[in-house]
């Protein structure tokens, strides 16, 4: 009898419950936030740890199952494998999965952003790269992604016959045709932007089930199917989902048709009607909250992934950066009568201001003692910042020093253009849009110069350092950029920016924040201009997406009347940013206080934005007007 029980345990890859019996009605594997995987064969009543040997994973992402193995994907600890019937987890990450970083203590491996298996092969993605293994991860080969631009962030993978299919964060679905991957997006959910430009919703699932392909989407995008001979995707309606931002995570066959996991639930179709079993509300007796479940009951043909929560990183933001409501003030607006400017900020019910200390041209606006600043003559028109900070403290205002980081005309022109980005074709200084001068983010000298400025400003008494233009150039012939100081050709742009921010956070005792493009609040990025909200959020204390409604394409959110479009853009940007950032940083958007391209601009435009920020879950906001004119803002706040 004992041998029979052990054989049954081995075959179903589960462990005996506390009662010593085997219940086959529902097998559940739970990946927990802090304590690894647990397994239950009695519908979650009793649990046992699944395997041993796992290190403490800082941010587990998903658990997957094939016929012979379990796999765990992580944010920064790599890929782990457990053979069924055995007990020891092993790290099977290839060396190419490693981050290109000077700070491996913050995580050796790149995020495993996607996983897929067809039974014979497994494939994984590390954001912008794909690898395949024919022996369950013992050896790996890179996949050539001809036709998929390296700026794409890969969020899901699948298999179609012998070919890998790729799903991305904003460019949709790619299928291999011949030697190239090609888009196949007709019918998929997305957002118009401008002209013919359209973004496809971030993908969460690709599954090949017989004669159909299925695609799932994040942020409430739903589920779609594609007949193999068709060119158009069709929506699969899943009734009973009220969550606006749910993710569709998995699909398989069941006794009655297909079964789908979405919104932390399993949907099965019986007698033509969908039935829902919600797993989010169950109280599992586990040592830490479950991130993901593998559910296999008698009606399912294979296990189904059910995502419950995103793991929360142990890093917490500095509470001093919380609940900041600020305006940006340029040096000219402060120079004439700082006391009057600061008193008006306070009277409007705001509690902070952002001040240019190194501007868009690289001019330093205080008296710096840095040798580099003296050598290149970058101190121009300094203000009495000590007096301004003293006045701000008297008004009870929190002060944020803005440092424009990698757009820097003064440093670009200095030292014979030594630190400028170069042209790929002739190694001469590269120029982007007219008036923009970019220095090389890979240069230690460039980084240390900006960190020296930040340390001086901290010593002067600023409450926070904010890095702007913490990115690579986006305009001009960016494909012709050459980075002289890049040490490893395979370094992601986000990795060098993260290294800079890690150094900044480690050398400053006050909160550190960053400004990023507003569109980073909608989709995962990282290898176009280098801004990766998830990666940044695990380092800095506050992130300010610049979600000015005027700066989105004219067709973006055109389904809303112009009068309330700002509200919906700000609210949705805030909600999506909170999800993308793992809630590990303050989300403090920059709001529009200028009229450009905004015919409905006025007090209502302002209050629509503040309402959207609040209802979207933002922790504060900053108003931007380049000249510091906030009459409309103050009037709106007073009303």
């Amino acid at each position: 009898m004992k041998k029979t029980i052990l054989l049954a345990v081995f075959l179903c890859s589960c462990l005996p419950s506390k009662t010593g019996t085997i219940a086959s009605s529902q097998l559940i594997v739970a990946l927990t936030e802090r304590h690894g995987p647990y397994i239950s064969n009695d519908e979650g009543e009793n649990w046992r740890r699944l395997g041993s040997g796992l290190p403490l994973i800082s941010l587990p992402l998903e658990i997957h199952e094939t016929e012979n193995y379990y796999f765990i994907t992580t944010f920064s600890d790599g890929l782990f494998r457990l053979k069924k019937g055995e007990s020891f987890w092993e790290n099977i990450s290839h060396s190419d999965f490693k981050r290109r970083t000077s700070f491996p203590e913050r995580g050796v491996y790149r995020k495993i952003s996607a996983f897929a298996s067809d039974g014979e092969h497994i494939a994984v993605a590390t954001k912008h790269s794909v690898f395949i293994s024919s022996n369950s991860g013992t050896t790996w080969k890179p996949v050539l992604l001809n036709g998929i631009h390296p700026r794409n962030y890969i969020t899901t993978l699948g298999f179609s016959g012998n070919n890998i299919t790729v799903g991305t964060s904003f460019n949709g679905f790619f299928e291999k045709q011949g030697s190239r991957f090609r888009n196949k997006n007709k019918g998929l959910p997305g957002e118009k932007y401008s002209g013919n430009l359209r973004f496809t919703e971030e993908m969460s699932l690709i599954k090949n089930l017989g004669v159909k392909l299925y695609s799932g989407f994040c942020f409430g995008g739903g589920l779609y199917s594609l007949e193999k001979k068709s060119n158009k995707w069709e929506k699969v309606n899943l009734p009973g989902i009220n969550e606006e931002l749910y993710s569709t995570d998995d699909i398989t066959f069941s006794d009655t048709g297909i079964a789908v996991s979405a919104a932390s639930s399993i949907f099965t179709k019986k007698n033509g009607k969908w039935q829902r079993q919600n797993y989010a509300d169950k109280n599992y007796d586990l040592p830490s909250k479950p991130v993901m479940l593998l559910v296999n009951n008698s009606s399912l043909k294979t296990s189904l992934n059910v995502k419950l929560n995103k793991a929360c990183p142990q890093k917490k933001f500095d509470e001093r950066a919380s609940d900041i409501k600020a305006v940006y003030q340029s040096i000219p607006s402060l120079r004439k009568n700082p006391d009057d400017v600061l008193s008006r900020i306070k009277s409007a019910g705001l509690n902070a201001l952002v001040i240019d200390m190194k501007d868009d041209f690289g001019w330093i606006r205080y008296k710096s003692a840095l040798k580099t600043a003296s050598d290149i003559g970058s101190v121009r028109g300094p203000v009495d910042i000590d007096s301004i900070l003293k006045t701000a403290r008297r008004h009870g205002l929190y002060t944020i020093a803005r440092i424009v980081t990698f757009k820097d005309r003064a440093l670009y022109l200095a030292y014979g253009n030594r630190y400028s980005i170069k042209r790929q074709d002739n190694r001469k200084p590269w120029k982007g849009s007219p008036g923009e001068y970019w220095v090389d983010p890979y240069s230690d000298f460039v980084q240390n110069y900006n960190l020296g400025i930040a340390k001086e400003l901290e010593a002067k008494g600023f409450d926070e350092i904010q890095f702007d233009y913490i990115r690579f150039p986006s305009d001009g012939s960016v494909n012709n950029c050459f980075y002289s100081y890049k040490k490893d050709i395979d370094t992601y742009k986000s990795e060098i920016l993260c290294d800079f921010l890690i150094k900044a956070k480690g050398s400053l005792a006050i909160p550190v924040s960053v400004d990023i493009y507003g569109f980073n609040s909608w989709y995962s990025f990282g290898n176009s201009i280098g801004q990766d909200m998830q990666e940044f959020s695990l380092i800095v204390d506050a992130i300010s997406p610049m979600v000015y409604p005027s700066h989105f394409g004219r067709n973006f959110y055109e389904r809303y009347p112009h009068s309330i479009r700002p509200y919906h853009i700000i609210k949705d940007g805030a909600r999506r940013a909170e999800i993308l950032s793992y809630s590990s940083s303050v989300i403090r958007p920059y709001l529009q206080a200028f009229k450009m391209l905004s015919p409905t601009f006025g007090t209502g435009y302002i209050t629509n934005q503040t309402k959207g920020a609040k209802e979207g879950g933002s922790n504060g906001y900053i108003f931007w007007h380049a000249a510091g004119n906030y009459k409309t803002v103050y009037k709106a706040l007073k009303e």
Side-chain angles (χ1 to χ4, degrees):
M1 181 65 179
K2 186 176 180 181
K3 289 182 179 179
T4 304
I5 293 176
L6 288 176
L7 180 60
V9 171
F10 173 78
L11 289 176
C12 70
S13 70
C14 63
L15 298 174
S17 68
K18 293 175 183 176
T19 62
T21 61
I22 299 297
S24 60
S25 60
Q26 190 169 70
L27 177 70
I28 303 177
V29 177
L31 177 62
T32 64
E33 187 178 49
R34 298 278 176 260
H35 296 83
Y38 282 75
I39 192 164
S40 170
N41 48 21
D42 56 8
E43 302 188 35
E45 292 295 322
N46 299 278
W47 296 91
R48 289 286 186 270
R49 189 183 292 273
L50 179 61
S52 61
L54 274 176
L56 179 63
I57 297 173
S58 60
L59 207 57
L61 298 178
E62 297 178 353
I63 185 164
H64 296 271
E65 182 182 19
T66 64
E67 183 179 359
N68 298 312
Y69 292 94
Y70 290 107
F71 297 89
I72 292 175
T73 64
T74 74
F75 192 90
S76 58
D77 296 294
L79 176 68
F80 295 88
R81 178 181 71 182
L82 173 69
K83 189 172 185 178
K84 293 182 178 179
E86 297 184 0
S87 62
F88 190 78
W89 288 90
E90 55 182 328
N91 191 324
I92 56 169
S93 306
H94 190 273
S95 59
D96 283 342
F97 297 5
K98 289 185 176 180
R99 295 175 186 265
R100 277 50 168 184
T101 176
S102 301
F103 300 94
E105 65 274 11
R106 298 296 295 255
V108 173
Y109 294 99
R110 291 169 169 168
K111 176 186 177 183
I112 305 296
S113 62
F115 178 96
S117 170
D118 67 349
E120 183 180 356
H121 304 87
I122 63 171
V124 298
T126 56
K127 298 202 307 185
H128 314 294
S129 310
V130 176
F131 302 86
I132 190 169
S133 174
S134 59
N135 48 24
S136 297
T138 301
T139 57
W140 296 94
K141 288 183 179 179
V143 176
L144 294 177
L145 299 177
N146 294 329
I148 303 179
H149 195 282
R151 69 172 173 266
N152 276 283
Y153 191 117
I154 297 163
T155 55
T156 187
L157 296 169
F159 283 95
S160 181
N162 295 323
N163 289 330
I164 294 175
T165 49
V166 175
T168 64
S169 64
F170 58 89
N171 269 344
F173 175 83
F174 288 85
E175 185 176 55
K176 198 167 186 181
Q177 298 175 4
S179 61
R180 292 181 64 80
F181 285 88
R182 300 187 186 279
N183 266 129
K184 203 169 190 177
N185 290 339
K186 189 176 181 180
L188 291 180
E191 196 71 54
K192 294 179 182 177
Y193 196 72
S194 62
N196 294 323
L197 180 60
R198 179 181 181 276
F199 294 97
T200 304
E201 185 57 89
E202 184 161 316
M203 295 187 67
S204 59
L205 163 70
I206 300 174
K207 203 70 172 280
N208 182 4
L209 292 183
V211 297
K212 286 187 178 182
L213 279 174
Y214 289 89
S215 289
F217 295 86
C218 300
F219 303 110
L223 177 69
Y224 288 73
S225 67
L226 176 73
E227 297 276 357
K228 295 293 179 65
K229 295 181 180 180
S230 172
N231 287 318
K232 184 178 180 181
W233 295 86
E234 301 290 340
K235 186 172 177 59
V236 179
N237 291 312
L238 296 175
I241 300 181
N242 297 319
E243 299 91 336
E244 293 182 74
L245 300 178
Y246 73 90
S247 172
T248 304
D249 299 314
D250 204 359
I251 185 169
T252 188
F253 284 121
S254 70
D255 287 343
T256 56
I258 61 171
V260 180
S261 69
S264 302
S265 302
I266 290 180
F267 293 83
T268 52
K269 206 168 189 179
K270 189 173 183 179
N271 299 326
K273 295 182 179 181
W274 286 98
Q275 296 180 336
R276 178 179 185 178
Q277 184 176 4
N278 192 342
Y279 288 82
D281 298 332
K282 293 181 180 292
N283 186 19
Y284 298 108
D285 185 17
L286 290 164
S288 57
K289 76 177 184 181
V291 175
M292 184 177 189
L293 304 178
L294 285 175
V295 176
N296 196 339
N297 60 38
S298 56
S299 71
L300 299 177
K301 302 305 181 185
T302 58
S303 294
L304 205 60
N305 297 328
V306 181
K307 292 184 182 178
L308 300 180
N309 309 281
K310 279 194 172 183
C312 292
Q314 295 183 25
K315 171 257 177 185
K316 295 297 291 182
F317 57 80
D318 192 317
E319 291 292 342
R320 291 175 291 179
S322 296
D323 197 30
I324 298 301
K325 297 179 176 66
V327 293
Y328 158 81
Q329 293 293 163
S330 64
I331 291 302
S333 68
L334 271 175
R335 195 185 297 276
K336 293 180 181 179
N337 191 344
D339 188 69
D340 180 57
V341 170
L342 300 180
S343 64
R344 273 184 281 146
I345 294 172
K346 184 70 174 179
S347 298
L350 304 173
N351 60 8
L353 73 156
V354 178
I355 309 174
D356 266 345
M357 287 289 94
K358 176 172 173 261
D359 67 17
D360 295 32
F361 299 97
W363 303 136
I364 295 176
R365 297 302 194 172
Y366 67 97
K367 292 180 180 179
S368 171
L370 293 175
K371 182 178 183 301
T372 300
S374 175
D375 289 346
I376 68 176
S378 57
V379 177
R380 292 286 180 94
V383 293
D384 185 357
I385 196 61
D386 296 323
S387 175
I388 291 173
L389 291 175
K390 183 178 179 181
T391 304
R393 283 191 290 272
R394 190 174 74 247
H395 287 287
L397 296 175
Y398 181 90
T399 53
I400 303 171
R402 175 178 179 254
I403 299 175
V404 175
T405 312
F406 298 119
K407 192 173 83 163
D408 189 331
R409 182 179 184 273
L411 186 56
Y412 175 101
L413 296 173
Y415 307 113
N417 303 110
R418 183 185 305 171
Y419 298 108
S420 68
I421 296 172
K422 302 300 192 294
R423 290 170 56 102
Q424 181 77 43
D425 53 5
N426 59 19
R427 300 300 193 267
K428 292 182 178 179
W430 178 87
K431 287 185 180 180
S433 293
E436 289 197 352
Y437 298 81
W438 290 84
V439 291
D440 194 334
Y442 292 96
S443 164
D444 287 336
F445 184 88
V446 171
Q447 292 190 19
N448 291 335
Y449 172 53
N450 284 281
L451 291 176
I453 294 169
K455 285 188 240 184
E456 278 193 329
L457 294 170
E458 177 186 36
K460 285 186 173 296
F462 273 95
D463 297 305
E464 179 178 312
I465 300 297
Q466 183 182 92
F467 293 106
D468 199 356
Y469 287 87
I470 176 75
R471 64 176 178 88
F472 287 73
S474 59
D475 300 314
S477 56
V478 293
N479 290 332
N480 197 26
C481 288
F482 176 77
Y483 300 99
S484 312
Y485 296 90
K486 188 176 184 178
K487 297 172 184 176
D488 187 326
I489 193 172
D490 292 322
T491 303
Y492 294 162
K493 291 176 179 177
S494 59
E495 289 173 333
I496 197 64
L497 299 185
C498 284
D499 271 12
F500 169 76
L501 292 173
I502 290 169
K503 285 197 285 187
K505 186 62 185 163
S507 60
L508 298 168
I510 57 177
V512 174
S513 62
V514 292
D515 301 343
I516 64 173
Y517 266 3
F519 222 44
N520 282 284
S521 294
W522 264 262
Y523 308 107
S524 299
F525 285 89
N527 211 30
S528 51
I529 59 173
Q531 291 180 339
D532 185 320
M533 182 178 283
Q534 289 184 343
E535 300 276 2
F536 284 8
S537 73
L538 298 177
I539 304 167
V540 302
D541 301 295
I543 297 177
S544 291
M546 296 176 286
V547 285
Y548 314 127
S550 62
H551 281 42
F552 289 85
R554 62 181 300 177
N555 302 126
F556 188 69
Y557 274 41
E558 67 177 356
R559 60 187 176 276
Y560 296 112
H562 284 293
S563 60
I564 59 172
R565 179 174 175 262
Y567 162 75
H568 287 284
I569 288 177
I570 303 300
K571 185 185 76 169
D572 287 359
R575 293 192 305 171
R576 293 171 73 121
E578 189 71 15
I579 293 171
L580 288 171
S581 68
Y582 291 103
S583 303
S584 59
S585 285
V586 167
I587 299 299
R588 185 202 296 157
Y590 261 102
L591 304 182
Q592 181 182 342
F594 50 89
K595 190 176 181 179
M596 185 181 76
L597 300 176
S598 304
T600 63
F601 185 81
T603 55
Y605 196 100
I606 299 299
T607 53
N608 267 324
Q609 290 183 91
T610 56
K611 180 183 177 184
K614 181 179 180 180
E615 294 184 5
S618 290
N619 191 322
Y621 49 77
I622 307 170
F623 280 105
W624 175 276
H625 187 288
N629 182 350
Y630 295 105
K631 290 180 180 179
T632 305
V633 170
Y634 295 155
K635 184 179 179 182
L637 295 178
K638 184 178 180 181
E639 291 175 353

